[in-house]
Amino acid sequence: MSIRSGEIHAILGENGAGKSTLMKIIYGVIKPDTGQIIWQNKELAIKGPAHARQLGIGMVFQHFSLFESLTVAENIALSLPEENFPSLSELSKKIIAISQQYGMELDPDRHIYSLSVGEQQRVEIVRCLLQNISLLILDEPTSVLTPVEVDNLFKILRLLASQGCSILFISHKLSEVQALCDNATILRAGKITGTCEPKNTTTENIARMMVADDSAISHSYPRAQGKAIVLQVERLNYQASAAFAIPLTDISFEVRAGEIFGIAGVAGNGQAELLKLLTGEFIDHSDAIIYKGKRLGCLPPSERRRQGIATVPEERLGRSAVPGMTLAENNLLTGYTKGLSNRGWLNWQTIRRHTDEILQSCKVKSSGSQAQARSLSGGNLQKFIIGREISQQPDLLICSHPTWGVDIGAANLIRDELIALRDAGKAILVISEDIDELYQMCDRLCAICHGHLSPVGNTDDISINLLGQWMTGEFNAIEAVTELADSHA
Amino acid sequence: MLRLEARRHDSTLMALVSPLIATALTLVAGSILFSLLGHSPGRALYTFFIAPLSDLYGWTELGVKVAPLMLCAAGLNMCYQAKVWNIGAEGQLVIGALAGGYVGLMFPDTQTHWMLVPVLGFGILGGMAWAGLAAWLKTRFNTNEILTTIMMNYIALYGLLYAVHGPLKDPNGYNFPESAQFSEFVTLPVLFPDYRINISILFGLFALAASWIVLNRTLPGFQMRVLGQDQSAAAFAGFNQNRIVWSVMLVSGGLAGLAGICEVAGSIGQLVPQISPGYGYTAIIVVFLGRMSPIGIFFASILLGITYLGGEMVQMNFNLPKSITGLFQGMLLFFLLASDILIHYRILPANRASRVHS
């Protein structure tokens, strides 16, 4: 593959296709076994990230490398070679100049922990720009941003490109690639499977190059109408006790039987706390959670499970599953409440058989019920975890980011399972950052921001713009947008 | 020259081979040590490891040493499975001996072997109470159990010293710091006449077997293992962490207490200032050498039991200090911890290319 100057080039592929590996090779983190990299007409071996930066290659990783307790300027100073900054105040001026030039507001004296994720990303970008780079690599930069922040990022990237800086944009979100990129290279299982001009190629064709099998790329599901209320949350309040926990204020919503209820929001806005209050890991002092007409109070997690509340948390390894334990043991982890243990005695034969059934029905690729959880790929492990929870025949299933970091095939299967559960008349609550997914599956939607919940509406009545505004905390935006929609109509 | 590279998967083979490597390295280091002290390493090692087991007496004495090791290690293993780092088996053993011994001494005139039941019972309760104190501090105040249990070992030891120098001293004992001898009715039955080995070895084997069943065939044992491997998964699954901490501490305290009362009501026969040659500490080595599995612990306690006998043998035959036992036990743990790095890493020549440079 080759990249021209001033080009915005997308690297597309499923999880595990080799996108990040390829970028790490270009940035000098990993050495290639064979092959050549030609940089500005010279073949060279990139010795490491420092060397890459010297050459003018900058990279913004998916997970930022910033020190929370230091200021913006201090963080940037740490990564610069000494001769590039005479003093912090000098550097601050430079930061302000650059950030204004590209329309990125950034206060060099603020501490990282006080910045939003989007602002932290700007710090990373400014850090690269300060070194006069001619190639900027961005590894899934939009996965942590709200729609508005994504728009801003795209503006910045377009400006950069117009000044001659090449950009490598790694993503698996096709719509973004089509909106932003001039060219795209598609990877599958470590090989280039195609190139295209995204603006002139249909989503289906690009997706076809990304996934191997000819399975339907994206399903659309009919919406459903919820029936009886299963879970009701009435003015839930939660005072954060841990240092970085988010307090929740006056959260009210209900989830009905036979519907999927979605809560959108950028991670770290109180979703984790809400989830733990629902599962009973945190004690809800406001006693605001009503399940099947009864207040749950401080009922422990095991009792809530027995009453039919199943949960799929966000972290697959290290919460949903114990990495070093077998799938059979991980099945028992939550299955003990639903008949997998006989008065405290364990019959491993039964547990293994039950586990094999889950592996089969959810098409989990593994070496069997004795495989360690950590040996499974993310998608397969998630299929197993969802299968485990559904096998317990819950009346309410709570899922957090059910298809996060999962390849398209597995994601489709997981969504099918959830829809089937919905159509069987069960209540499902989905908490996610993935807006496409929420629009695809949910019957009703709302958003969470800073521990506050937005108004709730039917998915088909909520525009992406409105949801985006809700996600950034503008809850009264509802009228404005509907009026806008009306005037358009 | 050589360098370490992280393995993709932990090596199960190395987890089993590592204790053997450690034992071999201990033997090598031991022979260097003996030759530096001016003894033929071959003869010294023979005296240390083989000679003690050359007759029936040696084997029965091994049983005497192994019983408390098994009891303590069976309990500690449960704690360590849950990553509750109870270092206090020694103190729990001493308090068990003191509590059970006290009950035995209060009724010198009993004429029935049933008296053993309350004596052993109070031994167990004593150990449980001592461990329970640490469990309470941990669950209530979030104290570090490593520190509290170590400190409580010393408190227990001084409690015993106070007892044998004061209230429990034998009035007819010529002012020696010892209690009166237990009556034959509060002495554990021996397995063979004329040998010291008694039924405590059966308790030890039973404890090991029971701990295997609990850990592998019951939900509470499963919960202990989950808590040890992944705290947030345990919280997600709704396992009550405090209850698990209490259970493993009480069980291991009870077993250590039983080991203590079996020592004094068995091979010693009275309360003396030194009840245990560090069984509670050695049991920690036993658990790790035995790979935290009851079967491995069975073999490891035999090996560590031999170091006690061997230490006594070389003391007698070579005039070396008894601390040679501690030296060998220490070397074994040291080499074991060092060899365990091979479970997670492998050794490669430095010039071989690695997969990932960073």
Side-chain angles (χ1 to χ4, degrees), chain B residues 1 19 41 53 63-64 82 103 110 147 149 180 250 253 289 293 301 333 343:
Chain B
M1 229 162 50
L53 300 180
V64 171
V103 173
T110 8
L147 299 179
T149 51
L250 290 181
L289 194 68
S293 107
S301 52
L333 182 63
I343 299 173

Side-chain angles (χ1 to χ4, degrees), chain A residues 211-240:
Chain A
V211 288
D213 53 86
D214 285 340
S215 65
I217 300 305
S218 73
H219 305 239
S220 64
Y221 304 106
R223 302 268 184 247
Q225 188 75 44
K227 295 176 193 76
I229 294 178
V230 175
L231 174 76
Q232 183 160 22
V233 176
E234 254 182 3
R235 300 178 69 80
L236 173 81
N237 280 282
Y238 173 70
Q239 292 305 315

Side-chain angles (χ1 to χ4, degrees), chain A residues 368-385:
Chain A
S369 60
Q370 291 305 100
Q372 279 191 331
R374 72 154 75 90
S375 72
L376 268 66
S377 73
N380 277 308
L381 186 59
Q382 187 72 347
K383 283 195 271 184
F384 167 71
I385 290 164

Side-chain angles (χ1 to χ4, degrees), chain B residues 63-283:
Chain B
V64 171
K65 307 287 183 198
V66 160
L69 287 179
M70 280 182 185
L71 282 169
C72 292
L76 288 182
N77 184 30
M78 298 223 198
C79 290
Y80 299 166
Q81 290 281 355
K83 290 222 168 71
V84 175
W85 301 114
N86 174 11
I87 311 294
E90 184 75 4
Q92 292 143 21
L93 180 149
V94 165
I95 294 294
L98 192 57
Y102 177 79
V103 173
L105 291 168
M106 284 306 99
F107 303 97
D109 303 324
T110 8
Q111 298 295 313
T112 160
H113 276 294
W114 287 110
M115 192 57 209
L116 268 175
V117 175
V119 167
L120 293 181
F122 270 88
I124 293 170
L125 286 178
M128 285 170 86
W130 209 239
L133 206 53
W136 178 71
L137 289 169
K138 181 176 170 64
T139 52
R140 179 71 182 78
F141 299 107
N142 204 17
T143 53
N144 182 322
E145 72 276 11
I146 300 179
L147 299 179
T148 53
T149 51
I150 289 182
M151 291 194 281
M152 286 171 66
N153 285 346
Y154 291 95
I155 302 173
L157 182 62
Y158 285 108
L160 172 71
L161 290 178
Y162 167 75
V164 294
H165 282 95
L168 295 182
K169 186 157 73 177
D170 183 5
N172 309 319
Y174 307 103
N175 217 16
F176 278 107
E178 293 169 352
S179 76
Q181 292 275 344
F182 295 135
S183 80
E184 60 168 306
F185 295 102
V186 285
T187 305
L188 287 182
V190 293
L191 289 181
F192 313 106
D194 302 332
Y195 293 104
R196 295 204 304 163
I197 188 169
N198 58 48
I199 58 168
S200 64
I201 183 81
L202 302 180
F203 295 157
L205 289 169
F206 178 77
L208 272 186
S211 76
W212 186 88
I213 291 172
V214 169
L215 284 170
N216 293 293
R217 288 283 183 271
T218 70
L219 188 61
F222 176 71
Q223 296 184 332
M224 292 172 200
R225 291 191 288 131
V226 171
L227 180 68
Q229 290 196 25
D230 196 330
Q231 228 168 333
S232 62
F236 163 66
F239 301 158
N240 186 330
Q241 185 177 346
N242 282 352
R243 195 159 68 195
I244 298 173
V245 170
W246 272 100
S247 326
V248 294
M249 285 299 281
L250 290 181
V251 167
S252 87
L255 288 173
L258 180 62
I261 185 59
C262 285
E263 279 300 288
V264 294
S267 45
I268 301 174
Q270 66 188 133
L271 286 177
V272 291
Q274 211 215 5
I275 294 170
S276 150
Y279 288 133
Y281 294 116
T282 306

Side-chain angles (χ1 to χ4, degrees), chain A residues 309-334:
Chain A
I309 305 180
T311 312
V312 179
E314 180 182 347
E315 306 91 340
R316 242 156 265 154
L317 283 176
R319 214 160 115 73
S320 304
V322 184
M325 285 191 163
T326 66
L327 293 181
E329 287 172 306
N330 274 303
N331 186 15
L332 179 65
L333 186 67
T334 61

